[in-house]
Amino acid sequence: MNEKTFGKGCRVLILGATSGIAKSLAREFARHGFDLVLAGRDMDEMQTIAADARVRYGTKSEIVPFSATDFESHPEFWKSCGALDGVLCCFGVMHTQNEAENDWQKAYAMIEVNYSASVSILNIAANEFEARGRGFIAILSSVAGDRGRRSNYIYGSTKAAVSTYAEGLRARLFASGVSMTTIKPGPVDTAMSFGLDKLPLLASPEKVAADIYRGVRRKADVVYTPAPWRFIMAILCAVPSFLWKRAKL
């Protein structure tokens, strides 16, 4: 896909289409002429999102059932989506650090959904796009994956794994012309962050979606959103370990 064809008539698959960020992404990409393939578990909610995109922007929108952790179903799911120009991977789970420390099932759920499921479905997408020599992939990681903090290191470790996977995949796909963009939001005002205290630079999902669209369009390697997080995380990553382990973050 080149710059002239990025938009009207292109089909983008949104995985985890009912998340707060994904719903804003659906509107953002539809606004720029993309046809939507919405994938997730809540068929009723996806039907509402699809209908909204059709009414607002006149875009073609369809829904497909998708279970992130049903790995064996992923090849057939991919075939059911038809020809695609891009994939936005938006599904994820976040439990609190205390929950993950004391309940292995909650820790494992984050590992399985955030990392294992992403690798499973994106391996399939990458193979097809690489063979065709075009396409784009974007995945939601997090600033939480840039450095381990005592307050959320289990969740953060799953996002660090996602970022490392995406970096390697990006290097592999580069020669084929397929772009791989890692999205690193800070806290976003969605259901996932509801009830959490002291969230700095809390961003709206609409702002994040607009940043993601611009980043994917210009084939950015990594998108921090809002943008100040790039500089904040650069500073935090430079803090020496002997000081970092004493920080109450």
Side-chain angles (χ1 to χ4, degrees):
M1 183 187 313
N2 56 44
E3 184 70 15
K4 292 182 180 179
T5 62
F6 189 92
K8 190 170 181 60
C10 295
R11 296 178 78 241
V12 62
L13 169 65
I14 304 180
L15 296 163
T18 60
S19 74
I21 293 176
K23 286 189 283 190
S24 291
L25 277 172
R27 288 191 291 270
E28 184 71 15
F29 274 75
R31 184 169 71 87
H32 286 92
F34 276 83
D35 293 333
L36 306 178
V37 181
L38 307 177
R41 293 178 298 177
D42 191 331
M43 300 296 284
D44 289 338
E45 187 171 1
M46 288 196 298
Q47 195 68 262
T48 300
I49 298 167
D52 178 74
R54 286 192 292 265
V55 171
R56 288 177 185 267
Y57 308 110
T59 188
K60 296 178 183 178
S61 302
E62 56 190 279
I63 64 173
V64 185
F66 172 72
S67 174
T69 55
D70 185 3
F71 304 126
E72 292 184 358
S73 72
H74 289 178
E76 283 303 314
F77 159 78
W78 180 261
K79 291 179 183 178
S80 74
C81 293
L84 296 166
D85 297 288
V87 177
L88 305 173
C89 189
C90 302
F91 57 78
V93 173
M94 182 175 71
H95 295 294
T96 68
Q97 179 62 32
N98 183 63
E99 289 173 327
E101 287 175 6
N102 293 286
D103 185 339
W104 164 243
Q105 291 304 317
K106 290 186 176 179
Y108 179 66
M110 290 194 289
I111 297 167
E112 186 178 38
V113 175
N114 297 354
Y115 180 64
S116 299
S118 298
V119 173
S120 174
I121 189 61
L122 293 188
N123 276 355
I124 298 170
N127 290 343
E128 180 167 318
F129 287 172
E130 184 178 40
R132 288 184 355 207
R134 64 183 182 86
F136 65 85
I137 301 171
I139 187 169
L140 287 182
S141 183
S142 171
V143 296
D146 280 9
R147 192 155 195 189
R149 296 186 295 126
R150 67 171 71 182
S151 62
N152 75 342
Y153 64 85
I154 296 180
Y155 170 77
S157 69
T158 67
K159 291 302 187 177
V162 163
S163 294
T164 300
Y165 168 75
E167 184 175 25
L169 183 57
R170 179 162 48 248
R172 170 194 150 190
L173 295 176
F174 176 73
S176 69
V178 178
S179 65
M180 173 74 236
T181 301
T182 307
I183 312 300
K184 295 186 177 183
V188 183
D189 189 11
T190 65
M192 184 176 283
S193 62
F194 181 78
L196 299 179
D197 297 326
K198 300 179 181 178
L199 296 177
L201 294 177
L202 185 66
S204 71
E206 293 79 13
K207 161 64 175 170
V208 170
D211 286 347
I212 292 172
Y213 176 83
R214 286 192 295 269
V216 171
R217 177 160 192 153
R218 62 185 175 85
K219 299 183 178 182
D221 291 344
V222 180
V223 174
Y224 283 87
T225 176
W229 278 107
R230 180 179 295 275
F231 306 103
I232 294 170
M233 295 314 300
I235 293 169
L236 293 179
C237 287
V239 176
S241 293
F242 76 90
L243 292 176
W244 185 257
K245 65 186 179 184
R246 292 172 169 79
K248 294 182 179 180
L249 297 173

